[in-house]
Amino acid sequence: MLGEILHILAAAAVSWILFVTVDILFKLPEAGGVSGASAIARDIEAGGGALAGGTMMGNIVCSPDASAGTLLAACGVYVAGIPGGLVAAALVFIGNRICHDPGYAGTTGAVLATFVVYGFTLVGFAATDFIAGMVIAILTIQGLSHAHASRLLARLWRVRE
């Protein structure tokens, strides 16, 4: 039981690093790329958060980004291994096009996560560890404190610049 909890926490950390890194590399904090992202960013800023972090959070909510791609890839790997993860990446790509998202952060995140999750399954982790871990990782960004999460994301964005 303790080993499972440690696997989930490790998977949460790996997933968090993966999706935040991909989203920052694809410049999600820079501007609202999809409808609604800028409005969410302004609301988060009005609540004491940082605009750049709020913009990234708005992009996460409004279109499948690397967090959604990572979660869906873990589900795909659980169901069908690498082919399942790649099918998940294709579905994220379609979702991005439906949302008129001009970027590829979600698709890239899903492809990378497919191989990361599969690689971890070779050393004793289960894909389900990453499913649970990714839910925890998303919760830390979207569910605990918008103001604090947006400030953290804005700091990471400044490092990238």
Side-chain angles (χ1 to χ4, degrees):
M1 180 67 168
L2 181 60
E4 183 74 16
I5 292 170
L6 292 175
H7 278 186
I8 291 170
L9 293 175
V14 168
S15 298
W16 195 93
I17 291 167
L18 176 67
F19 95 77
V20 169
T21 300
V22 169
D23 283 350
I24 287 175
L25 289 175
F26 275 85
K27 301 181 179 182
L28 264 63
E30 189 171 56
V34 291
S35 179
S38 296
I40 291 171
R42 286 191 301 275
D43 283 350
I44 290 172
E45 184 182 39
L51 183 62
T55 301
M56 180 169 162
M57 293 167 74
N59 279 315
I60 289 171
V61 169
C62 296
S63 179
D65 73 313
S67 65
T70 301
L71 177 58
L72 292 172
C75 293
V77 170
Y78 173 71
V79 171
I82 289 176
L86 295 177
V87 167
L91 293 173
V92 170
F93 177 81
I94 292 167
N96 287 141
R97 303 298 68 84
I98 290 170
C99 294
H100 301 287
D101 187 335
Y104 297 95
T107 306
T108 302
V111 171
L112 289 173
T114 295
F115 293 103
V116 168
V117 171
Y118 184 76
F120 272 89
T121 65
L122 299 176
V123 294
F125 283 71
T128 53
D129 297 335
F130 279 87
I131 295 169
M134 193 57 222
V135 170
I136 292 168
I138 292 171
L139 178 67
T140 66
I141 294 295
Q142 295 289 6
L144 298 178
S145 170
H146 286 148
H148 290 93
S150 68
R151 287 188 213 130
L152 172 62
L153 293 171
R155 270 188 241 120
L156 294 172
W157 172 242
R158 282 193 295 273
V159 169
R160 187 228 186 265
E161 289 182 317

